[in-house]
Amino acid sequence: MTATQDAPSEQLEIGRDRRRKEDQRLITGRTRWTDNITLPGMLHLAMVRSPFAHAKITSIDTEEAKKAPNVVTVVTGKDLGEEQGSLPNAWPITPDQVAPAHPPVAIDRATFAGEIVAVVVARSAAEARDAAELVDVDYEELPAALDLKEAANDTTLAHPDLGTNKSAKWVFDSGDAGTGGNVDEAIQKARDGDGIVIEREFRQQRLIPAFMEPRSTVVDPTGEQITMWSATQIPHILRFLLAAVLGVSESKVRVIAPDVGGGFGGKLQTTPEEFITMVMARRLGKPIKFTETRSESMMAAHHGRDQWQKLTLSAEKDGTVTGFKVELTADLGSHVSLIGGGVPVLGAFMFNAIYKFPAYHFSVQTVLTNKAWTDAYRGAGRPEATFGIERMMTELAAELGVDPLEIREKNWIKHEEFPFTTVAGLEYDSGNYEAATAKAKENFGYDELRAEQQQRRESNDPVQLGIGVSTFTEMCGLAPSRVLGSLDYGAGGWEHATVRMLATGKVEVITGASAHGQGHETAFSQIVADRLGVPFEDVEVLHGDTMVAPKGLDTYGSRSLVVGGEALVRAADKVIEKAKPIAAHLLEASPDDIEFKAGRFGVRGTDQGLAMAEVALATFAAHNLPDGVEPSLDSDATYDPVNFNYPHGTHLCAMEVDTETGAVKMRKYTCVDDIGNVINPLIVAGQVHGGLVQGIAQALWEEAVYDDNGTLVSASFVDYLVPTAADTISFDIDHTTTPALTNTLGTKGVGEAGTIASTPAVVNAVVDAIRKFGVNDVRMPCTPERVWKAIHHSGGGEPTTEAAKPHFDPASGDEGTADRTDGASE
């Protein structure tokens, strides 16, 4: 038998710009979002939510609501009782972690403004919402724990029955771990000798994920199987937890995540709304839908960040860092959410960043308050860590009067030192910080901008120029299961993939990494097309349905490509190995003489060969197969990563600051990221752009603000400033390539890189612009008001009030601006 098909194109798909397969349906709306789903006889839910941050529920009168048109029922937490269960916490970071029970509908007490206290079921969503207004709830308002620092001192208790707001304390010390020395000794040595000690306290403000598509859930309990459609990042984890909490077999629960409009960690949850919809659908035996409003989403979907960081860095006079001490206080909100308690712990391994610290200590105290609970938000712990260390390295450079890039170069890991075990205990496999930084400097025009900055300073230009530096690395590809196990995380970090070679020559790819806008269908098609030598267009990627893709651990932590993609590679390689003996049989050759290249099985030393599609068709027909060979080329693989991967990069930002008004304006932003080998440059560019805007927004615009009563006053897009393309500039992005050594593709994560690196780059630039006035920090977001106050407090303008001071600066012993309401009172 000889070849009958032309060999596929030699042009490789990996590394090629490809427009996303999924964009046609997403951009034109020819898809099905969860809220578009309508089932026969479907009912609708509306939630009655507490207006108080902390209140005893003395009574709930549902009679008027029940009389409203087309209302089916109204239930309270007491009505649901144990049937509703308690939302799970998958990451108890210490054995003695304090965590209150978390019923989806509050029973006796509301613990944050927005918590669900009653549920209305009606025949339409509008009728359910109207009836919800008729539910009469009597509250007895209780003192609320709102300020993080005061809550950490148990001044007011968020849950009086617990007797404390302190949930858990988690500590890493390099001296105890054997990865470095004693940090207190290093700091004391610097104080006693000729060293330098830099102390700062930074605020990571509370942020709202603000995903494009609000959360939505449909549950159909009819038939043999309960089916849930949900705008979720985690259909597999959700199925497992629903089955476990409800006490039913996993096979009886099917979760479908149709096209999902963004997540950023905000849909990495099992939400009260999902559990309530499931419980009510089962109770009533009818399909039910719930879709939140935008304000509900901002008020009651989880928030991110919200930390105080107390940082102490010691160094020698030449700028060599000798120790770094990190003391965090992290706001969990009213409950310990699915993985919220562990988010700060992820940061513990990243505060050392790209540097060679000989001594390191990290501790975090997690605290309960009467606010919406916090959990993963794009980067999850790593942006907070990168902000802390990159601000501190810039402050060290300012103390020494040297360029901030010079101080980084002095302390970073050199490219010839990889693999390198850090003081936090991670092994970085590859990296080249020198190359990324050199390219970024050139692209940015660093020296020219520094010269312009000097000229503006000398001329007392009212618009000063600041240049911010951020060099970063992160741990991506969550995660080796053994590492997660060592941290008491409740699941593993593997991913599953199936590759089916069909009789038509098409390829079905099934991945457990469920997408919510990242471009999986395109990138995964490129990988498989190259691996099997089939046309890109012939690969179809299926995901997001636990019936279609029964195994998986979903998408978060920049894991889809480096973990899910590696599983795909391994499954595709198995297809090739299964096909080889069949091809040899058809070609009447020895299997040892078969070689596979560019989609063809050839007989070594001859021109005989068969295309993969021909072998697939012959396998399907099964008329002429070797004895004992199964008539299938389907293969699957489950991959558990051996290590994280460590993308890195250098981000440079130029900001103009009007010293008379405090207004800031971005002049230029350049980044050079090293994410290893790139599968699709176009998708990477999109990921970087989106990440940059998200990180810049934290630096300049976004903040969840509660008032003194615990009401979220930034619960709409009028008050919560999510930027648009019109608010940003054209970014200058580029990359260097140092392949990862821990996966076949040599790839590293990219989804969170822009967010992690950009926030400190922007704030460093703002501070750099006004440092001449004695300013060493501006609290985020760097609003014109805060920048103006920072200048005037420092003596750069007219003296202002005590309340206008920038935040705490231990060096001056000045506590600065009050933060009781996280910015609301300023």
Side-chain angles (χ1 to χ4, degrees):
M1 195 171 179
T2 57
T4 57
Q5 289 189 350
D6 294 334
S9 169
E10 291 287 344
Q11 182 176 0
L12 294 176
E13 287 292 338
I14 291 180
R16 181 178 181 182
D17 279 337
R18 276 284 194 186
R19 290 186 181 275
R20 304 195 321 172
K21 286 183 172 182
E22 48 271 72
D23 278 352
Q24 176 64 21
R25 69 172 193 275
L26 294 177
I27 292 172
T28 60
R30 293 174 182 172
T31 185
R32 190 163 69 162
W33 309 102
T34 302
D35 192 46
N36 296 140
I37 294 168
T38 299
L39 302 176
M42 189 168 72
L43 303 175
H44 298 262
L45 294 184
M47 307 299 175
V48 179
R49 298 180 184 274
S50 169
F52 297 106
H54 194 193
K56 181 179 178 182
I57 302 170
T58 57
S59 67
I60 302 180
D61 184 348
T62 61
E63 292 306 311
E64 289 302 312
K66 288 177 179 176
K67 296 175 185 173
N70 287 318
V71 168
V72 176
T73 188
V74 182
V75 297
T76 66
K78 286 183 179 177
D79 296 331
L80 292 171
E82 294 183 359
E83 183 182 356
Q84 63 176 326
S86 180
L87 290 172
N89 165 225
W91 197 348
I93 59 174
T94 63
D96 60 350
Q97 175 179 270
V98 174
H102 192 178
V105 182
I107 298 175
D108 298 315
R109 192 164 50 88
T111 57
F112 73 99
E115 187 164 22
I116 300 166
V117 298
V119 180
V120 177
V121 186
R123 301 199 186 282
S124 75
E127 289 166 329
R129 284 195 290 269
D130 287 345
E133 298 287 332
L134 302 175
V135 176
D136 186 10
V137 185
D138 280 336
Y139 297 95
E140 178 183 327
E141 193 170 0
L142 301 171
L146 299 172
D147 177 80
L148 177 54
K149 287 186 174 180
E150 291 180 2
N153 292 325
D154 289 337
T155 305
T156 303
L157 296 179
H159 297 268
D161 52 318
L162 297 178
T164 182
N165 294 323
K166 298 182 181 70
S167 179
K169 186 165 187 176
W170 192 92
V171 177
F172 176 88
D173 188 278
S174 64
D176 296 338
T179 57
N182 183 291
V183 76
D184 289 328
E185 292 177 0
I187 294 170
Q188 193 59 48
K189 185 178 179 182
R191 291 191 195 280
D192 295 342
D194 294 329
I196 300 167
V197 176
I198 306 287
E199 296 174 275
R200 293 287 185 276
E201 191 165 6
F202 297 133
R203 181 76 168 115
Q204 284 283 323
Q205 78 269 36
R206 177 177 280 245
L207 299 177
I208 300 174
F211 22 74
M212 187 178 298
E213 178 197 15
R215 296 175 301 164
S216 182
T217 301
V218 175
V219 174
D220 182 3
T222 60
E224 294 296 316
Q225 192 176 47
I226 303 170
T227 302
M228 171 183 282
W229 291 262
S230 181
T232 179
Q233 293 178 226
I234 53 167
H236 296 91
I237 295 173
L238 179 56
R239 177 188 58 172
F240 166 74
L241 291 172
L242 286 171
V245 171
L246 299 175
V248 299
S249 166
E250 281 188 66
S251 66
K252 299 297 184 186
V253 179
R254 177 186 182 186
V255 175
I256 302 171
D259 283 322
V260 176
F264 311 126
K267 293 172 180 172
L268 176 53
Q269 279 289 317
T270 49
T271 69
E273 290 83 357
E274 288 167 330
F275 276 81
I276 293 168
T277 309
M278 173 69 84
V279 168
M280 294 308 300
R282 293 182 76 199
R283 180 181 272 207
L284 298 173
K286 291 181 177 295
I288 291 184
K289 179 197 290 185
F290 171 74
T291 299
E292 67 185 357
T293 66
R294 179 60 68 183
S295 289
E296 281 184 301
S297 179
M298 302 187 80
M299 186 166 54
H302 82 254
H303 297 168
R305 312 282 193 259
D306 208 343
Q307 295 180 356
W308 278 103
Q309 303 178 335
K310 184 178 180 181
L311 309 176
T312 307
L313 183 145
S314 61
E316 297 175 359
K317 282 290 186 184
D318 68 353
T320 302
V321 177
T322 58
F324 191 37
K325 187 172 186 178
V326 178
E327 298 167 275
L328 300 186
T329 307
D331 192 343
L332 298 179
S334 66
H335 289 89
V336 186
S337 57
L338 189 65
I339 62 169
V343 168
V345 174
L346 286 173
F349 302 98
M350 285 286 100
F351 267 97
N352 57 283
I354 65 171
Y355 306 111
K356 297 181 288 188
F357 298 156
Y360 171 61
H361 177 94
F362 172 95
S363 68
V364 57
Q365 175 66 62
T366 57
V367 177
L368 295 162
T369 62
N370 292 115
K371 298 179 183 175
W373 55 86
T374 57
D375 205 299
Y377 173 64
R378 201 167 187 174
R382 292 157 288 171
E384 297 93 316
T386 301
F387 181 86
I389 182 59
E390 287 305 290
R391 286 287 296 113
M392 292 298 280
M393 294 302 281
T394 292
E395 291 304 298
L396 175 61
E399 177 74 17
L400 292 170
V402 301
D403 189 282
L405 282 173
E406 179 182 332
I407 206 71
R408 285 166 170 80
E409 183 174 4
K410 189 174 193 62
N411 287 282
W412 70 32
I413 303 160
K414 306 294 189 295
H415 73 275
E416 66 270 17
E417 295 178 283
F418 289 93
F420 186 90
T421 300
T422 74
V423 73
L426 296 181
E427 183 178 291
Y428 294 174
D429 60 334
S430 67
N432 189 333
Y433 309 137
E434 300 96 315
T437 302
K439 197 168 190 177
K441 278 187 69 176
E442 181 180 355
N443 293 355
F444 187 66
Y446 189 82
D447 294 337
E448 292 82 359
L449 285 167
R450 282 290 183 201
E452 180 185 335
Q453 178 187 46
Q454 185 61 29
Q455 187 275 326
R456 290 198 189 199
R457 284 180 177 173
E458 291 173 352
S459 65
N460 288 322
D461 191 322
V463 179
Q464 290 289 309
L465 181 66
I467 297 173
V469 173
S470 172
T471 50
F472 83 103
T473 188
E474 57 167 323
M475 54 180 189
C476 283
L478 298 179
S481 295
R482 57 182 170 77
V483 174
L484 294 176
S486 71
L487 295 173
D488 297 319
Y489 182 69
W494 51 264
E495 193 48 80
H496 184 80
T498 299
V499 175
R500 295 176 182 156
M501 197 65 225
L502 305 181
T504 57
K506 308 291 185 183
V507 185
E508 272 186 1
V509 170
I510 299 166
T511 175
S514 180
H516 45 283
Q518 295 89 343
H520 288 181
E521 294 170 31
T522 304
F524 288 176
S525 292
Q526 291 178 270
I527 293 170
V528 173
D530 272 2
R531 210 70 185 179
L532 296 181
V534 300
F536 167 79
E537 294 78 8
D538 284 351
V539 183
E540 183 180 11
V541 178
L542 307 176
H543 60 87
D545 182 340
T546 60
M547 179 170 281
V548 175
K551 295 181 180 179
L553 285 174
D554 307 317
T555 293
Y556 46 87
S558 290
R559 67 189 306 274
S560 295
L561 183 61
V562 295
V563 185
E566 180 68 16
L568 271 181
V569 168
R570 295 177 181 226
D573 287 350
K574 287 183 180 179
V575 169
I576 296 169
E577 291 306 309
K578 289 184 75 172
K580 271 187 178 177
I582 299 173
H585 181 76
L586 295 172
L587 292 164
E588 298 179 347
S590 167
D592 294 336
D593 290 334
I594 297 296
E595 57 185 6
F596 180 75
K597 184 179 179 183
R600 285 178 59 80
F601 295 92
V603 181
R604 193 174 287 110
T606 76
D607 60 356
Q608 286 188 306
L610 288 170
M612 172 63 86
E614 292 176 291
V615 179
L617 180 59
T619 304
F620 170 75
H623 296 161
N624 182 22
L625 299 182
D627 292 339
V629 171
E630 66 173 0
S632 167
L633 294 182
D634 298 351
S635 290
D636 61 3
T638 302
Y639 173 65
D640 197 342
V642 297
N643 194 358
F644 300 96
N645 62 86
Y646 302 95
H648 65 82
T650 298
H651 289 224
L652 301 172
C653 176
M655 297 289 296
E656 291 181 337
V657 178
D658 187 327
T659 59
E660 295 179 346
T661 66
V664 299
K665 180 181 178 182
M666 187 170 289
R667 163 88 170 271
K668 190 169 188 178
Y669 196 101
T670 294
C671 65
V672 174
D673 292 309
D674 190 329
I675 57 168
N677 294 330
V678 174
I679 304 299
N680 185 325
L682 201 57
I683 290 179
V684 166
Q687 294 268 350
V688 172
H689 278 233
L692 289 177
V693 175
Q694 206 152 357
I696 292 168
Q698 177 174 5
L700 298 181
W701 299 299
E702 293 187 21
E703 182 173 32
V705 179
Y706 285 88
D707 67 14
D708 289 341
N709 297 315
T711 300
L712 183 69
V713 297
S714 57
S716 77
F717 284 154
V718 174
D719 305 296
Y720 190 82
L721 304 181
V722 176
T724 68
D727 298 308
T728 60
I729 63 173
S730 293
F731 304 121
D732 171 26
I733 68 171
D734 206 338
H735 69 273
T736 53
T737 302
T738 311
L741 303 179
T742 53
N743 66 76
T744 304
L745 296 166
T747 56
K748 305 174 184 179
V750 68
E752 293 150 318
T755 304
I756 290 171
S758 60
T759 309
V762 173
V763 176
N764 278 336
V766 172
V767 174
D768 188 50
I770 56 177
R771 192 181 292 279
K772 63 172 286 189
F773 300 115
V775 176
N776 63 22
D777 194 30
V778 179
R779 220 189 75 191
M780 297 186 293
C782 300
T783 62
E785 180 186 17
R786 284 178 175 159
V787 173
W788 187 90
K789 286 178 175 177
I791 295 170
H792 281 249
H793 166 69
S794 65
E798 294 298 319
T800 188
T801 64
E802 189 73 12
K805 294 178 181 178
H807 76 63
F808 179 65
D809 179 355
S812 65
D814 191 347
E815 291 194 357
T817 301
D819 189 51
R820 291 186 61 254
T821 56
D822 295 346
S825 63
E826 293 180 50

